[in-house]
Amino acid sequence: MRSIIIRRLLQTCCLLFICLPAFSQTTTFTVFADKPGADIQPTMYGIFFEDINMGADGGIYAELVKNRSFEFNQPLMGWKVEGKPVEGDILVLHSTDYNKSNPNFLRVHVGNRRKGELGLTNEGFKGMGVRKNITCHFSARYRTANAGITLHAELVTPDGKLIASAATAMSPGNGNWQTTNMELLPAEETPAARLTIWLEGNGTLDLDMISLFPANTWKNRPKGLRADMVQLLADMKPGFLRFPGGCIVEGKDLANRFQWKKTVGLIENRELIINRWNTEFSHRLTPDYFQSFGLGFFEYFQLAEDIGAAPLPILNCGMACQFNTAELVPMEELQPYIQDAIDLVEFANGPANSRWGKVRADMGHPEPFHLTMIGVGNENWGPQYIERAREFARQLKAAHPEIKLVFSSGTDPDGARFNFLNDTLRKMNADFIDEHYYRSPEWFLANASRYDNYPRTGSKVFAGEYAAHEPSSFVGASRNTARAAIAEAAFLTGLERNADVVEMASYAPLFANAEQWQWAPDLIWVNHLQVVGTPSYQVQKMYALNKGTQTLSLLSENIAVAGQDSIYASAVYDAHTREIIVKVVNAGAKPVTRNITVNTKRKLAGKVAVTTLSGNEPDAVNTFSQQPVMPVNSVVDINNKRISIELRPNSFSILKFGTR
Ligand code: AHR
């Protein structure tokens, strides 16, 4: 027995002798695992949602009909009259007696027509994505005094093939508006179907809210959201959902600002407005981009609840977009804006018998939505913003001290505008300051230490919009390179290390429709049938799924690892799983080996689960057909509380191991 022990000792010494020099020549990081630092907020990694790039209408809101209520400023935009109409057969009537918010509807004089002689085709949002054997629910509001009119609904492919049809008789109902519902079952899949309606019979028919939704929405909710798009959000397990933007909050002018009260209640009473991204960029005009508000504030709160995210609504503060009209509401007329914020708390959290809580309850959610934060303004700046922000803060804090308020630090993360807002808001003791940075990948790498010297007390940072932007020679989805994502991952090590300063972070924008985008890069690209998470999405998801509960100090030669030899690193502890999680980024072009020593009295598991995202080519992007930049899992050993890991060029790795 003694000789066996001596032999084992000798073997161990030999091994150490062989291994130690190699280990010591390699740079070593030390993780101080027994001294947890700041708490990491459950909100830390979240989602920024804005209806830009057809993110809502034509995107996650699964309505397939464009301009269903004929309220676009060209009322027949998206529609084509079919057959042999004569003048006056199809008219757009405008009646505020009928509906103040949506006054337009169609009047069709059917006049002894057979099927195929008079109808309308809707082109969808550059086509309608339908799947074989997935039912589409057709509905329309109608009114007629005449019996004997039949409405035929058909789905047709771009080359004219009929793939689904249904018909129903329009019953006269004492001249009242009624709703008709039908089911269309596509015989094949196409991303570019069109909906044609044929009218047969004799008489006059009024039509409005002509709508088509796939049945397989998220949670199969009628007239709901695209399940594949929501699933990607749910997969991130986001800490919060910021909505509805973004500049859309401000509007180009105050008349077209986002007003949450106009987005709740019956869909047919939600007043449509132009989407501000419609004509924002002359090189990316989208003249048919409007906001139907089918995805309104109730649905945003419900989405947040579904995916386990804290709701974070951002409200207009009495200022339109300062890049556009910069309209300001005078201070003496600010009260309705503040009242909107106070009422929103009641809508989200108030009892079901309160005025606004009842609106929520009537929409099917008597329980509260647990709102804890509100943003006041989006990218607003200047003394005019501060003047309005102060009044919002004064009244909201008096009415709802439990609600944390988020204030804007403008459009840029530095410069006079930022400094003024940052200093003033800190003096005001703002709960959160919303910082935005759309900068080059190099900026993200150089700023991984941005928060190391921030004040540790007072206002917290909300990194509310960020994305590494490749030069403009990269267009559209090609801007979402692996290099940009790796730079973001490097920057996020700095956020994680400073989780006592930064409590929330979200990439922006979220969605882009490949057919009709205005702004790139974006986190997720979609077409009518597919979704793809960019390399940046993978980075956000990897962070969100591995956020931990407390920071751990990770040092190399007593300093934080923030760019030495293009390496960036941070570490956290997860008290729920009792795991240590180390994140390491190699932003360089060469493979690098690093040793990690875990300074702890605890026992460690023998194996480390490693997840690595790497772009062999820095320009690599994920497309609908190929996703070369995806996380890959592997395992390495821990020996004597030491790990040796080879970091691939342009890569982000997460190392996770248990403690006992
Ligand atoms: O994310 C796109 C836009 O960028 C947002 O609407 C705005 O807040 C920022 O300028």
Side-chain angles (χ1 to χ4, degrees):
M1 182 65 184
R2 218 167 136 240
S3 66
I4 294 176
I5 293 173
I6 291 171
R7 212 169 54 229
R8 287 269 155 83
L9 269 173
L10 278 172
Q11 277 171 351
T12 312
C13 288
C14 280
L15 267 176
L16 277 177
F17 185 72
I18 296 163
C19 296
L20 266 181
F23 198 87
S24 56
Q25 276 159 16
T26 305
T27 304
T28 297
F29 302 156
T30 305
V31 178
F32 295 90
D34 291 347
K35 290 187 192 151
D39 286 346
I40 296 164
Q41 298 306 314
T43 48
M44 185 71 180
Y45 305 102
I47 290 174
F48 163 97
F49 190 105
E50 177 168 18
D51 191 3
I52 183 173
N53 302 317
M54 313 302 278
D57 284 292
I60 200 168
Y61 182 54
E63 171 66 88
L64 296 172
V65 175
K66 181 169 72 185
N67 192 13
R68 63 187 172 192
S69 60
F70 309 102
E71 303 294 333
F72 284 18
N73 44 14
Q74 291 169 39
L76 283 181
M77 193 179 241
W79 294 93
K80 181 173 160 255
V81 176
E82 303 280 3
K84 299 177 197 125
V86 295
E87 206 155 313
D89 272 352
I90 295 187
L91 302 170
V92 177
L93 267 65
H94 177 93
S95 160
T96 44
D97 282 352
Y98 157 63
N99 186 332
K100 260 201 217 75
S101 328
N102 278 310
N104 288 0
F105 61 89
L106 273 198
R107 173 151 297 170
V108 186
H109 295 290
V110 185
N112 254 335
R113 294 312 216 296
R114 280 177 302 190
K115 185 181 168 221
E117 290 180 350
L118 185 62
L120 290 145
T121 291
N122 189 274
E123 66 189 20
F125 296 87
K126 291 212 164 141
M128 300 174 176
V130 298
R131 293 182 198 278
K132 185 175 176 179
N133 289 337
I134 299 291
T135 302
C136 291
H137 294 306
F138 172 93
S139 64
R141 281 172 50 76
Y142 75 95
R143 178 173 66 174
T144 182
N146 317 97
I149 298 176
T150 299
L151 185 150
H152 301 262
E154 297 181 345
L155 281 171
V156 184
T157 64
D159 51 9
K161 186 171 166 197
L162 179 68
I163 55 170
S165 66
T168 186
M170 307 275 90
S171 69
N174 303 325
N176 293 328
W177 283 93
Q178 307 175 66
T179 300
T180 182
N181 291 292
M182 284 193 277
E183 297 201 340
L184 294 167
L185 192 65
E188 63 183 64
E189 175 173 301
T190 168
R194 284 161 209 285
L195 171 73
T196 297
I197 290 165
W198 294 112
L199 298 161
E200 184 186 8
N202 200 6
T204 298
L205 178 71
D206 292 341
L207 283 170
D208 198 9
M209 296 300 288
I210 300 174
S211 171
L212 189 72
F213 275 85
N216 63 341
T217 54
W218 171 252
K219 292 186 180 276
N220 296 322
R221 288 200 183 107
K223 300 186 191 284
L225 305 182
R226 251 180 79 170
D228 55 350
M229 290 173 73
V230 179
Q231 190 60 56
L232 279 195
L233 307 186
D235 291 347
M236 290 171 77
K237 296 204 189 313
F240 65 89
L241 175 70
R242 171 188 176 139
F243 58 88
C247 291
I248 212 156
V249 169
E250 302 153 41
K252 279 194 175 177
D253 53 20
L254 284 172
N256 284 298
R257 71 189 189 276
F258 199 105
Q259 299 184 61
W260 74 265
K261 288 176 179 167
K262 295 189 176 182
T263 75
V264 296
L266 291 177
I267 287 181
E268 57 266 32
N269 293 341
R270 301 184 193 177
E271 185 182 326
L272 172 144
I273 58 172
I274 194 164
N275 186 304
R276 57 145 303 126
W277 298 105
N278 182 313
T279 50
E280 182 70 20
F281 300 123
S282 51
H283 63 293
R284 298 289 313 169
L285 288 177
T286 325
D288 52 354
Y289 200 0
F290 288 76
Q291 296 183 81
S292 71
F293 297 118
L295 172 56
F297 256 41
F298 177 87
E299 291 79 13
Y300 278 120
F301 277 110
Q302 194 175 45
L303 173 63
E305 182 178 77
D306 286 350
I307 60 179
L312 172 44
I314 309 286
L315 300 183
N316 188 293
C317 64
M319 302 174 81
C321 179
Q322 288 162 274
F323 287 120
N324 299 141
T325 63
E327 283 178 355
L328 271 182
V329 79
M331 284 302 287
E332 54 280 15
E333 291 173 37
L334 187 62
Q335 198 53 38
Y337 293 72
I338 299 176
Q339 194 58 46
D340 276 358
I342 294 173
D343 290 343
L344 182 62
V345 182
E346 186 174 282
F347 174 74
N349 296 349
N353 60 2
S354 60
R355 176 169 174 219
W356 287 104
K358 182 170 181 329
V359 176
R360 180 193 74 237
D362 289 349
M363 293 182 75
H365 203 288
E367 309 79 19
F369 277 126
H370 307 293
L371 175 67
T372 57
M373 305 178 277
I374 289 183
V376 178
N378 174 48
E379 278 182 348
N380 296 113
W381 66 79
Q384 296 74 22
Y385 173 60
I386 291 296
E387 199 182 4
R388 283 154 187 77
R390 275 190 206 285
E391 194 50 26
F392 264 84
R394 191 182 68 76
Q395 293 199 35
L396 270 170
K397 284 291 176 189
H400 288 290
E402 75 283 8
I403 300 288
K404 293 237 173 16
L405 298 181
V406 177
F407 293 96
S408 155
S409 64
T411 51
D412 296 283
D414 44 35
R417 206 181 260 169
F418 173 85
N419 292 339
F420 165 71
L421 290 172
N422 191 40
D423 292 348
T424 314
L425 290 169
R426 281 182 185 278
K427 284 187 195 126
M428 283 166 60
N429 220 0
D431 296 319
F432 283 101
I433 300 179
D434 180 10
E435 297 189 3
H436 294 183
Y437 13 84
Y438 296 104
R439 290 288 189 272
S440 65
E442 294 73 27
W443 184 93
F444 277 82
L445 296 176
N447 278 272
S449 307
R450 177 178 173 89
Y451 296 108
D452 289 359
N453 299 314
Y454 254 55
R456 310 325 284 187
T457 54
S459 304
K460 301 297 177 194
V461 171
F462 169 29
E465 295 184 28
Y466 60 82
H469 279 206
E470 294 282 15
S472 52
S473 52
F474 290 70
V475 179
S478 77
R479 301 195 95 189
N480 279 107
T481 61
R483 175 181 37 242
I486 296 304
E488 288 151 7
F491 180 76
L492 288 173
T493 60
L495 265 55
E496 181 167 279
R497 184 169 55 247
N498 291 287
D500 55 332
V501 170
V502 185
E503 292 195 350
M504 294 189 288
S506 46
Y507 182 102
L510 178 64
F511 288 122
N513 186 317
E515 306 277 339
Q516 287 173 287
W517 55 271
Q518 297 87 37
W519 177 297
D522 304 283
L523 200 62
I524 295 168
W525 285 79
V526 309
N527 59 28
H528 289 326
L529 292 174
Q530 293 165 292
V531 292
V532 60
T534 60
S536 295
Y537 169 82
Q538 302 304 339
V539 166
Q540 303 301 313
K541 183 174 161 190
M542 285 166 72
Y543 267 93
L545 297 187
N546 294 285
K547 62 176 173 289
T549 52
Q550 286 146 305
T551 59
L552 294 176
S553 174
L554 181 153
L555 302 176
S556 174
E557 294 173 356
N558 288 326
I559 53 169
V561 180
Q564 303 91 311
D565 300 325
S566 300
I567 305 294
Y568 302 77
S570 57
V572 298
Y573 177 65
D574 189 325
H576 305 304
T577 59
R578 300 172 72 183
E579 285 170 321
I580 293 169
I581 305 171
V582 178
K583 305 190 177 79
V584 198
V585 172
N586 177 6
K590 294 194 185 117
V592 167
T593 299
R594 285 292 178 267
N595 298 323
I596 301 172
T597 296
V598 186
N599 189 320
T600 181
K601 290 202 175 72
R602 279 181 282 180
K603 285 192 176 153
L604 301 181
K607 300 280 179 198
V608 181
V610 183
T611 307
T612 302
L613 185 81
S614 61
N616 288 340
E617 297 300 325
D619 288 355
V621 296
N622 288 342
T623 66
F624 294 119
S625 51
Q626 280 182 319
Q627 292 93 42
V629 193
M630 292 297 277
V632 173
N633 295 326
S634 59
V635 174
V636 297
D637 292 330
I638 309 185
N639 289 316
N640 229 357
K641 300 190 179 173
R642 287 171 166 186
I643 305 161
S644 178
I645 179 104
E646 186 179 306
L647 305 167
R648 301 179 62 175
N650 203 38
S651 71
F652 167 42
S653 301
I654 296 188
L655 287 69
K656 194 146 92 169
F657 47 95
T659 62
R660 274 174 274 155

